[in-house]
């Protein structure tokens, strides 16, 4: 037998959690056809000596719905071993939508998910109206990795209701139309239905995104309608009830009732917050309660703190503040001159040392960051030194230290400000919970502010090597079999005969994220953060090598992964 691809001499960790073993892997026509000692020939052979050969990683929480049109390889997820992603989370999708109403969809996306309208206009060739038509367009695109997609509530509402979706609850007839469209989408291959009720999700004019205007009964009717198809997952960016136990309990009861009555698996993301450290545990208690009641619910968790990243090449905490805003609009070369000017520096530092004057005039109090929780990023194996400590050591204010470090690095310096998951003890406890999955990269969203596509590589560098809290086998299972199984991608996530030839081949001693960088490679020159990894020998998608040492080979073997009803 001649194989299309033969991976020789690797250490196979197959995704199941069972112990590693030395073997070769043969792939033919995109499928694994043999695992063991292989002496036959192959069209292409890859020597994996000293490397782990694992299933390609599966990320269940991304926002690549727009990005897939201009970036077929799925960066930055592809640089971290990810071969399959689920997009359309939090109610944000590009379909259903008529082309002449695209601005309604953009309104949902551009601020809530930090995807520039200019990039979407320049990068998307609109060729659909309904969600099934959108899936057909995705199917026709060149793709480096595999994509599955939800139908999103915000796009659904604006399609049915127009601009009223941002202001009003739907009529009974409109809710019925949405129910029918979700059923149609799931039968065509949508992986499920998503919504957002999170106060963090706003339009560019600071109004709630369309899904947040919906009453709970609308959500309930749609999820129950999807349940009648016998397929589909419901993902929700949840309500924020803070530390109010009565309101939290009432929300939990609604989620529990919906899971049980609909029979639909429900999933949501969870972080630990230092201002309310006890809240996440009540949500994890809910997971067990739902299971005991006969429903299915699982949490999505992260592998580290959720960081806002600051860079003078992208954005700082003060870009909209007096004095700063005029300078930050200049070309970067002129900004460096302005930040070096002694008289201007004095004004900049004064303005950023207390509440924002500009926002105060509008009736809002916006304070500088807590400098004890802003860190200079120099080495991802270390948390970094806080700006408060750096400033103390230099004998200057934190704002002045921020400016000085930026100038010293010619604006290349990066700073991170954790907003969730401050305590690593909470992080690993959530990761190890039997009803959680480690997947929450948000790839494709927040592109100039957050870089969490390296969530997967961080598991190996931090939790396997540094903390020794996980074995290699556990870490691989977290990002392969566990995620693939929860989203019903049953031909992915394991190395087994007949399963898809998706592989992540990496050096277990060095596999880790590199520092992010700021690039301007989006359509219309929009800015994003880019992050690659070290120690990744190759990423293989459906039997073809997509990346060698993080360089694209030109392969486009990715597929659209449709839900189960599309195959009946």
């Amino acid at each position: 037998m001649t194989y299309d691809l033969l991976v020789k001499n690797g250490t196979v960790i197959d995704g199941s959690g069972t112990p590693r073993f030395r073997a070769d892997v043969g792939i033919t026509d995109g499928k694994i056809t043999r695992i063991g000692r292989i002496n036959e020939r192959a069209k292409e052979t890859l020597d994996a000596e000293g490397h782990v050969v694992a299933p390609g990683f599966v990320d269940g929480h991304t926002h690549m719905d727009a990005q897939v049109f201009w970036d077929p390889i799925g960066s930055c997820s592809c640089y971290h071993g990810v071969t399959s992603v689920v997009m359309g989370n939090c109610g944000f999708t590009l379909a259903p939508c008529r082309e002449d109403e695209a601005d309604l969809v953009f309104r949902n996306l551009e601020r809530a998910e930090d995807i520039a309208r200019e990039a979407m206009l320049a990068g998307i060739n609109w060729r659909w109206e309904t969600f099934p038509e959108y899936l057909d367009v995705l199917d026709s695109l060149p793709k480096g990795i595999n994509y599955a997609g939800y139908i999103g509530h915000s796009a659904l509402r604006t399609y049915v209701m127009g601009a009223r979706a941002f202001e009003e609850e739907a009529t009974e007839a409109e809710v019925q139309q949405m129910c029918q469209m979700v059923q149609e989408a799931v039968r065509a291959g949508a992986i499920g239905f998503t919504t957002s009720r999170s106060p963090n999700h706003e339009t560019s004019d600071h109004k709630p995104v369309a899904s947040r205007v919906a009453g709970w009964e609308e959500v309930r009717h749609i999820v129950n309608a999807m349940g009648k198809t016998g397929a589909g997952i419901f993902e929700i960016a949840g309500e924020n009830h803070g530390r109010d136990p009565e309101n939290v309990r009432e929300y939990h009861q609604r989620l529990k009732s919906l899971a049980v009555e609909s029979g639909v698996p429900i999933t949501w993301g969870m972080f630990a917050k230092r201002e309310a450290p006890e809240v996440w545990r009540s949500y994890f208690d809910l997971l067990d309660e739902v299971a005991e009641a006969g429903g299915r619910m699982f949490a999505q968790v992260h592998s580290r703190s959720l960081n806002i990243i600051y860079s003078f090449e992208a954005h700082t905490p003060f870009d909209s503040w007096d004095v700063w805003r005029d300078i930050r609009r200049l070309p970067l070369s002129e900004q460096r001159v302005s930040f070096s000017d002694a008289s201007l520096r004095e004004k900049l530092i004064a303005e950023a040392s207390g509440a924002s004057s500009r926002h105060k005039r509008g009736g809002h109090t916006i304070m500088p960051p807590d400098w004890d929780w802003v860190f200079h990023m120099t080495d991802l194996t270390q948390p970094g030194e806080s700006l408060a400590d750096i400033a103390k050591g230099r004998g200057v204010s934190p704002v002045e230290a921020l400016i000085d470090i930026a100038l010293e690095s010619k604006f290349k310096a990066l700073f991170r400000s954790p907003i969730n998951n401050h305590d690593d003890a909470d992080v690993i406890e959530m990761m190890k919970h039997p009803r959680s999955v480690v997947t929450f990269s948000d790839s494709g969203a927040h592109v100039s502010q957050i870089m969490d596509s390296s969530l997967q590589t961080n598991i190996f560098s931090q939790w396997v090597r540094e903390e020794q809290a996980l074995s290699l086998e556990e870490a691989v299972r977290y990002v392969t079999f566990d995620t693939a199984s929860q989203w019903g991608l049953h031909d992915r996530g394991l190395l087994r005969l007949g399963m898809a030839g998706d592989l992540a081949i990496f050096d277990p001693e060095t596999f880790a994220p590199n520092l992010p960088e700021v690039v301007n490679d989006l359509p219309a020159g929009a800015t994003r953060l880019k992050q690659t990894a070290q120690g990744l020998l190759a990423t293989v998608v459906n039997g073809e090598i997509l990346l060698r040492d993080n360089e694209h080979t030109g392969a486009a073997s990715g597929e659209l992964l449709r839900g189960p009803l599309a195959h009946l």
Side-chain angles (χ1 to χ4, degrees), residues 9 28 44 63 127 178 185 249 282 305 330 445 541 564:
N9 308 317
T28 309
E44 186 171 13
H63 293 274
R127 294 183 280 140
M178 285 187 262
R249 192 66 196 155
S282 69
S305 59
L330 299 173
V541 179

Side-chain angles (χ1 to χ4, degrees), residues 1 25 50 78 156 173-174 191 238 261 276 306 308 311 347 381 394 414 448 467 476 501 528-529 536:
M1 180 177 186
V25 178
C78 64
L156 186 65
E174 287 167 336
I191 210 78
E261 72 178 1
L306 177 65
I308 297 292
S311 164
K347 295 176 183 177
T381 65
R394 293 186 176 208
L414 299 170
S448 68
E467 304 292 341
V476 168
R528 69 164 177 151
L529 291 162
L536 184 64

Side-chain angles (χ1 to χ4, degrees), residues 13-26:
I13 298 182
D14 66 9
S16 67
T18 55
R20 69 197 77 176
F21 56 94
R22 187 175 176 88
D24 307 327
V25 178

Side-chain angles (χ1 to χ4, degrees), residues 264-505:
V264 170
I266 296 178
T267 184
W268 32 259
M270 181 52 55
F271 292 94
K273 301 178 183 292
R274 64 187 169 108
E275 64 272 17
E278 77 286 354
V279 168
W280 71 265
R281 296 184 188 279
S282 69
Y283 280 81
F284 277 63
D285 290 341
L286 173 65
L287 299 175
D288 293 328
E289 289 179 26
V290 170
E292 290 169 7
R296 181 178 164 202
M297 185 178 289
F298 62 95
Q300 301 174 37
V301 302
H302 211 293
S303 69
R304 64 173 180 228
S305 59
L306 177 65
N307 298 299
I308 297 292
I309 295 179
Y310 298 123
S311 164
F312 280 65
E313 289 188 321
H315 76 111
T316 77
F318 309 112
D319 289 353
S320 63
W321 293 35
D322 282 346
V323 188
W324 287 74
R325 63 198 302 253
D326 292 333
I327 294 173
R328 292 291 290 151
R329 291 170 177 167
L330 299 173
L332 292 178
S333 58
E334 294 180 31
Q335 287 188 42
R336 287 196 289 270
V337 173
S338 297
F339 279 105
S340 301
D341 181 272
S343 60
L344 266 177
R345 279 171 63 91
E346 188 175 338
K347 295 176 183 177
L348 289 159
I349 293 165
E351 180 58 34
S353 295
S356 165
S357 305
R358 177 170 174 263
H359 294 94
K360 193 182 295 183
R361 293 193 297 271
H364 304 287
T365 301
I366 306 295
M367 299 298 294
D370 180 346
W371 297 110
D372 285 316
W373 287 96
V374 178
F375 302 92
H376 183 200
M377 297 176 69
T378 56
D379 179 356
L380 289 182
T381 65
Q382 301 296 327
E385 191 176 7
S386 74
L387 265 292
D389 287 341
I390 292 172
K392 185 177 180 180
R394 293 186 176 208
V396 298
S397 70
V399 182
E400 191 167 359
L402 180 81
I403 294 171
D404 287 342
I405 293 169
L407 289 171
E408 290 161 9
S409 67
K410 297 183 179 178
F411 279 8
K412 296 293 182 185
L414 299 170
F415 309 88
R416 67 177 185 92
S417 177
I419 56 176
N420 286 317
N421 279 4
H422 297 82
D423 188 340
D424 276 350
D426 289 332
V427 174
I428 191 63
E429 188 176 346
M430 287 190 286
M431 289 171 63
K432 287 188 170 185
H433 193 281
R435 302 192 193 280
S436 74
V437 287
V438 187
T439 181
F440 208 120
S441 74
D442 260 357
S443 280
H446 315 296
V447 293
S448 68
Q449 305 173 38
I450 294 172
M451 175 40 66
D452 283 339
S453 298
S454 55
L455 172 156
Q456 287 81 12
T457 37
N458 183 74
I459 297 173
F460 295 90
S461 61
Q462 180 180 0
W463 296 111
V464 175
R465 289 203 304 277
E466 294 171 26
E467 304 292 341
Q468 298 183 12
L470 297 173
S471 68
L472 261 175
E473 287 82 356
E474 287 174 314
V476 168
R477 194 194 77 227
Y478 281 6
V479 293
T480 58
F481 178 72
D482 286 359
T483 43
S485 298
Q486 292 287 19
W487 274 273
L489 306 178
H490 296 304
D491 62 341
R492 317 276 158 172
L494 283 174
L495 298 186
R496 293 284 189 275
L497 301 190
M499 296 189 73
D502 294 348
L503 307 176
I505 304 170

